[in-house]
Amino acid sequence: MAVLGATNSTPPPTIPITVSQTWTPPLNGTAIIHCIGGGGGGSGFGNNGRGAGGGGGYSRKAVTISTSTNWTFVVGGGGNGNYNSSALAGGNTTATDGSSSLTANGGQGGQGSAGGTGGTASGGDVNNAGGAGGFDGGGGGSVGVYGTGDAGDGGASTSTYNMAGYYGGGASDAQSPFMGWSYGVLGGGGPRGRNYSGYSSVAASGLDGPLQGGFLSGGGGVFSASYNQQMAGGNGGIGGGGGSIRAAINNSIVGCGGSGGNGLIVVMYLTVT
Amino acid sequence: MTAYVIKESNGTVINPAALGELDFFKKIYPDKVIEKVEPLTLSSKELAEQEQQEAKMWRNTELDRTDTLYLVDDYPDKDKLKTYRQELRNWPSTADFPDKKPTLGS
């Protein structure tokens, strides 16, 4: 079956960019540039820090690219998680070539009173904000490919020992195999990190814990039921926010929030000339 | 890969975490302030608090572990076990806490 835009049986290349650089296209043609901002870090629970990180923004644009031009790519890193409030924000991801300028801002780090907001985006044909991080041991926000990113679930209730259940980070809305060729559509959304509501006996055995977020998804949060735990929030997947920690015992430092996922740039050739 | 925060000279953050090489960022941001993003760490007060919490975790685990043993009627050296459990309970309010742990049979 013929594939629209394909010039032969070999799909045009898809090139992931994970580190900032000056990039010269290897081929002339048309492409979609995808920019994903870094996810914000999640906060722990000391001095009332318990918000999860926001997801990175998302921007994409169809462009004509040439081997005679250079792009400046800056890839945003994921924000570090924190033991307390005010975890670090994710970095901004930008792609510029003089005529196009895409920006996908990083998600805000988790705060003491709320989850971090999702990163905004601009300069593309499509610009979506990342999902907000959850609160009280909630999960990180996700990257939104088709709309605003999914927010991380809120975690535990403010009622002591009211367990949160299995909520978690924001889920990615992207589908299909991980960065497989899909005619410019970013695919491969991974599963969200699951929230972990822990009792000491389980935590001590090391049998369970918050899950890391999959591709474009937020990390899981933790509700710690007692002093008998040292936990870490789940890290976000690419662009996803880090999960937060909520302890049943006020102002106890039970662990560090998860780190946000690094940002990413993906160049998906549509046609090669 | 190292992350750098890019700032204006007045401290306004342009990018809170850019992944890459320092030389690259110096080239594309020639008039900006570029600093390595350092991991967040606990203050000395918070570290001390965390050490105390970890000690309490160990203490609670020991109390849980010996609780069942104490119910065994013919457990050997039960008096030592009783003493040990009392020392565990008292430990947080003693000068030995959190550096010197009680030991069974001491």
Side-chain angles (χ1 to χ4, degrees), chain B residues 27-44:
Chain B
K27 181 179 171 186
I28 65 169
Y29 301 118
D31 57 346
K32 309 301 182 190
V33 176
I34 303 169
E35 299 172 349
K36 185 178 176 182
V37 176
E38 300 292 348
L40 296 169
T41 56
L42 294 172
S43 67
S44 56

Side-chain angles (χ1 to χ4, degrees), chain B:
Chain B
M1 181 53 60
T2 306
Y4 294 92
V5 56
I6 316 297
K7 299 177 182 178
E8 299 283 6
S9 56
N10 64 6
T12 301
V13 174
I14 300 171
N15 195 334
L19 289 175
E21 301 291 341
L22 180 59
D23 288 346
F24 173 77
F25 294 127
K26 284 182 176 177
K27 181 179 171 186
I28 65 169
Y29 301 118
D31 57 346
K32 309 301 182 190
V33 176
I34 303 169
E35 299 172 349
K36 185 178 176 182
V37 176
E38 300 292 348
L40 296 169
T41 56
L42 294 172
S43 67
S44 56
K45 179 184 175 187
E46 291 167 336
L47 281 171
E49 184 182 340
Q50 189 178 47
E51 185 181 6
Q52 291 180 2
Q53 287 182 14
E54 288 173 349
K56 284 181 181 174
M57 289 180 202
W58 174 84
R59 191 274 305 260
N60 292 346
T61 302
E62 279 296 282
L63 285 170
D64 288 345
R65 184 179 69 84
T66 55
D67 189 46
T68 306
L69 298 178
Y70 194 69
L71 295 175
V72 178
D73 289 338
D74 56 352
Y75 187 80
D77 294 329
K78 200 165 183 178
D79 286 345
K80 287 184 178 177
L81 189 62
K82 182 179 180 181
T83 301
Y84 177 56
R85 287 171 58 78
Q86 189 57 53
E87 288 174 350
L88 288 171
R89 292 190 188 94
N90 295 341
W91 185 43
S93 59
T94 68
D96 288 340
F97 184 81
D99 297 324
K100 187 178 178 183
K101 295 177 180 176
T103 54
L104 180 59
S106 60

Side-chain angles (χ1 to χ4, degrees), chain A residues 94-114:
Chain A
T94 60
T96 56
D97 75 335
S99 60
S100 295
S101 182
L102 290 75
T103 298
N105 289 318
Q108 183 187 30
Q111 304 296 300
S113 57

Side-chain angles (χ1 to χ4, degrees), chain A residues 34-40 53-60 74 76 89-95 101-109 116-124 126-133 141-145 147-149 239 263-264, chain B residues 13-16:
Chain A
H34 302 265
C35 289
I36 299 164
Y58 170 76
S59 179
R60 72 167 180 263
V74 174
N92 307 327
T93 296
T94 60
S101 182
L102 290 75
T103 298
N105 289 318
Q108 183 187 30
T117 56
T120 56
S122 61
V126 172
N127 303 291
N128 295 329
S142 74
V143 176
V145 175
T148 300
L264 181 70
Chain B
V13 174
I14 300 171
N15 195 334

Side-chain angles (χ1 to χ4, degrees), chain A residues 145-177:
Chain A
V145 175
Y146 296 100
T148 300
D150 190 24
D153 290 323
S157 131
T158 53
S159 173
T160 302
Y161 295 115
N162 185 352
M163 310 307 286
Y166 293 109
Y167 305 119
S172 167
D173 57 3
Q175 300 296 323
S176 82

